[in-house]
Amino acid sequence: MDTRRNAQWNHHPDLPIPVSPIMSWPPRPLAWLTWISRYWLAVSSVTIELAAAFAVYRWFQPDWETMRHLGPGWIFAIWARNMVLLTLVAGGLHLWFITLAAQGKELKFDARDQARSNGTFTFKNQVWDNMFWSYASGVTAWTLWEVLYFWAAANGYAPQVGLAEHPIWFVLWMVIIPLWSSLHFYWIHRLLHWPPMYRLAHNLHHRNINIGPWAGISMHPVETALYFSSVAIHFVVPSHPVHVLFHFYLEGLNPAFSHSGFEGVHAGDRKRLSAGDFFHQLHHRYFECNYGTAEIPWDKLFGSFHDGSEEATAATRARKKRMYG
């Protein structure tokens, strides 16, 4: 692997960055299992979100009889818990990385600070802009989809599955959900980069070139409605409530990690937790590349993959020039 440094970044992983071998030919099942095991066999954003799903279902979930009827009490409770979860995750990462600057610029991709006195952003402040849109648009869409699902499931309109009755499916579906989320994100993201949709909605998210934890679900309401539609699959595929909560936390909380701007949380002379996603950081820098995720490499298949190299930057700029004349 070529590990040359790219001077455009304060920090980056070894280049070129890899993508999942899921589409390799001939198939490489062991390589793919090794790739996905890093999400499940280590402390990561995914395992944190899975733990949160079990905890919320166990201690903070309204009962099914209550959810049969659309009432302000339980709807407010779900909205409030989503607000709290986002504040803990995005706020906690922001506190560590930016407010306290606990690790300085170590493992930070882009050396620049979050923008202030910049008219591009609501309130002329990047962090305030991101917090406003994350709460007002992101958490609102997240809560509406969540309320719709649990109301439907409580009334028998969405199929459910029990852990005791179907343990193999319970585990298998949990592993598949991140892959489905990745697939859905790629195609919705390509739609959002269609010029009319970009001008209408997606340009709000792309104000953030130097991203931070609060940028994750800082999106226009049209975008958040489409983005969280990934969870509509649970209206068709039999799911346990933990599956659904885990899926919501992948969509609602994981972007705070992937947009953190830092490769990981570093403390005590070593990286304690993976955080930022350089694959997606490249998208925010160069726009017309890396529309999906590294887990299902559609970008590699369709020629929009940026591997972090200077050659890929030149190719992306040439492609963007062709796209926009």
Side-chain angles (χ1 to χ4, degrees):
M1 176 177 287
D2 182 357
T3 59
R4 290 175 298 175
R5 306 304 296 171
N6 187 320
Q8 298 180 70
W9 301 98
N10 174 66
H11 167 80
H12 61 72
D14 291 343
L15 302 177
I17 58 172
V19 292
S20 164
I22 191 172
M23 291 185 178
S24 296
W25 191 262
R28 298 164 56 207
L30 289 179
W32 182 70
L33 288 172
T34 300
W35 175 279
I36 65 170
S37 68
R38 65 180 177 162
Y39 293 102
W40 301 102
L41 302 180
V43 177
S44 67
S45 59
V46 174
T47 52
I48 290 171
E49 288 144 13
L50 180 60
F54 275 103
V56 167
Y57 176 66
R58 174 66 177 83
W59 290 299
F60 302 104
Q61 182 69 8
D63 63 70
W64 289 109
E65 183 59 32
T66 297
M67 293 188 294
R68 286 187 60 213
H69 309 282
L70 292 173
W74 72 272
I75 293 173
F76 175 80
I78 287 180
W79 171 83
R81 81 184 184 195
N82 292 340
M83 293 282 281
V84 169
L85 286 168
L86 182 63
T87 302
L88 289 173
V89 173
L93 290 170
H94 182 90
L95 179 67
W96 175 265
F97 288 132
I98 298 172
T99 305
L100 300 177
Q103 61 191 65
K105 304 288 185 182
E106 190 170 4
L107 301 184
K108 190 176 193 304
F109 300 130
D110 191 318
R112 293 173 293 176
D113 295 326
Q114 301 280 275
R116 297 169 182 253
S117 301
N118 186 325
T120 300
F121 297 99
T122 309
F123 316 115
K124 297 184 178 181
N125 182 295
Q126 184 178 1
V127 175
W128 296 354
D129 170 286
N130 290 173
M131 292 180 69
F132 172 79
W133 289 106
S134 291
Y135 285 137
S137 178
V139 173
T140 298
W142 169 3
T143 301
L144 289 173
W145 274 106
E146 191 170 345
V147 166
L148 179 61
Y149 170 78
F150 281 116
W151 171 83
N155 285 281
Y157 304 140
Q160 296 189 65
V161 67
L163 171 58
E165 296 81 5
H166 301 282
I168 294 175
W169 173 245
F170 183 92
V171 173
L172 183 61
W173 186 216
M174 198 70 76
V175 174
I176 294 172
I177 285 170
L179 301 178
W180 161 250
S181 175
S182 178
L183 174 64
H184 177 273
F185 177 67
Y186 177 84
W187 292 108
I188 289 297
H189 202 179
R190 288 306 301 261
L191 172 63
L192 288 163
H193 274 262
W194 177 46
M197 286 293 289
Y198 188 89
R199 290 191 296 270
L200 171 66
H202 194 47
N203 66 342
L204 188 150
H205 183 67
H206 265 290
R207 295 171 179 176
N208 300 284
I209 297 173
N210 175 28
I211 53 181
W214 283 106
I217 57 171
S218 175
M219 304 172 183
H220 187 281
V222 170
E223 179 168 359
T224 52
L226 291 170
Y227 172 73
F228 280 102
S229 68
S230 169
V231 300
I233 196 167
H234 298 290
F235 288 85
V236 178
V237 177
S239 303
H240 188 279
V242 172
H243 291 131
V244 180
L245 290 169
F246 172 58
H247 197 160
F248 274 111
Y249 300 158
L250 274 178
E251 303 296 328
L253 301 178
N254 211 58
F257 289 95
S258 65
H259 288 74
S260 68
F262 287 76
E263 186 178 75
V265 174
H266 193 277
D269 297 324
R270 69 188 182 96
K271 189 170 77 171
R272 302 287 179 171
L273 173 69
S274 294
D277 179 359
F278 192 65
F279 181 99
H280 194 66
Q281 180 91 28
L282 288 162
H283 175 77
H284 274 268
R285 173 70 69 88
Y286 300 114
F287 287 56
E288 300 302 341
C289 64
N290 295 7
Y291 302 107
T293 69
E295 280 58 65
I296 301 186
W298 292 107
D299 288 284
K300 195 166 185 180
L301 181 64
F302 292 115
S304 55
F305 176 48
H306 194 312
D307 63 8
S309 66
E310 293 181 0
E311 294 80 7
T313 295
T316 298
R317 285 172 172 162
R319 193 170 69 87
K320 186 175 179 180
K321 190 173 182 179
R322 291 194 301 272
M323 290 173 65
Y324 294 100

